[in-house]
Amino acid sequence: MSSTPTESQSPKGKGKEKLPSPDAESPKANGHSEPSNVLAGAHWVETDLPGEDDTDADSTLGSDAESSTASLSSSILHYRTINGRTYHSDTVTDGEYWGPNDEKANSLLDVFHHSMTLMLDGELYTAPIDGEKCEKVLDIGTGTGLWAIDFADKYPNATVIGTDLSPIQPTWVPPNLRFDIDDASREWTYTPSSFDFIHIRWLTGSIKDWTALYKEAYRCLKPGGWIEHLETEGHVDSEDGTIHDKTALSQWDVIWKEGGRRSGNPVEILEKNLQARGMEEAGFTNIKVTDYKTPCSPWPQDPKQKELGLFIYAVFTMDLEGVMQFMFNNIMGWSPEETARYAAHLRRELKDTKQFHPNMTWRIVYAQKPLDAED
């Protein structure tokens, strides 16, 4: 399997070629039936698992989650609890973000950070910035803050700010780093033209209007500053046909697309080229798109790809129920039994590295605010 990333770049300046238009957005579903390509939750309950054992099929949604921190006085810490898992406070967000914010979910984010640094051969970014000259850097959706911590450690002269919906970051951090609780989908409160670099990573299914987000970034960047956004979507495929439309791995994509349609948060970020299009509409130039295809399990023979596949596999499986619960149960209307059964099928396919060879694509898009941009 080739690990060489593929790239494309828009021409510089005002005469740059227009990026392709996405399909028209589907209306938000209100109790509509599932599209014909989405296999219903009952399908996975009725389908036998080869060599099934009780471990994979058991429904343990939320049984080992951390307890709610609602006893703390700050409203930020009054987390919502669903099936024993805690989610970001309604006082910060509109209550539609699909990911939990408890210890188990945070461990997944730490593994995700490591997998992305493996993918980038140890680098923290790909944009043509000089970290030594950066005075102020913003990390949107910082999660557990590892990217911001690593950047602040590497470039101690830069002031680094990480933002997220919950205070889940460590308190022992480099002196040039701080964390703010903020919803990036709302108007940003940072000083216009104040940042040298803005970094965004893995906000799939949490943003309704990507162009509006990029406009806020454009406003807060200095002229000549750079934005970089790493993203993926649910599409899983294979080069040898081992992933077909009836596999659980293939259904992952269509289920999340339908959930995104119903919630109003589009997840077809790569398919509709939302990053590059949104950055162009916001006013950015020098837009560069690079795709990285990675294995979803340790099926490759190449040692580096096998290691990368192992960590992507861990991202997929270490908190699968937590990742699925809100989207599948609350948005799609599946029962806990159906969700757990589908998760068992998904795990089974990921574990079977002889029969299934899944890949997924991660896209990095970076762009520059023009040097002659008006403040």
Side-chain angles (χ1 to χ4, degrees), residues 35 48 85 171 197-198 203 205 222 247 259 262 266 268:
D48 292 334
R85 303 300 300 271
T171 55
F197 183 45
I198 294 178
L203 298 184
K222 298 176 183 177
T247 58
R262 295 187 187 191
E268 306 98 314

Side-chain angles (χ1 to χ4, degrees), residues 33-47 244-259 262 324 327-328 332-335 338-339 341-343 345-346 349:
S33 60
E34 295 175 355
S36 59
N37 62 337
V38 176
L39 297 177
H43 167 84
W44 304 103
V45 176
E46 298 164 359
T47 303
H244 51 79
D245 59 1
K246 298 303 183 193
T247 58
L249 280 164
S250 178
Q251 281 290 302
W252 183 262
D253 180 41
V254 294
I255 295 168
W256 275 86
K257 281 182 181 178
E258 176 59 14
R262 295 187 187 191
M324 294 170 59
M327 182 66 80
F328 283 59
M332 294 296 293
W334 288 25
S335 70
E338 291 168 343
T339 302
R341 188 69 175 184
Y342 172 76
H345 281 273
L346 199 67
E349 292 175 7

Side-chain angles (χ1 to χ4, degrees), residues 65-66 85-86 101-110 319:
E66 293 295 314
R85 303 300 300 271
T86 60
N101 67 351
D102 51 28
E103 184 176 344
K104 191 171 184 180
N106 296 343
S107 296
L108 180 153
L109 295 178
D110 290 346
D319 188 22

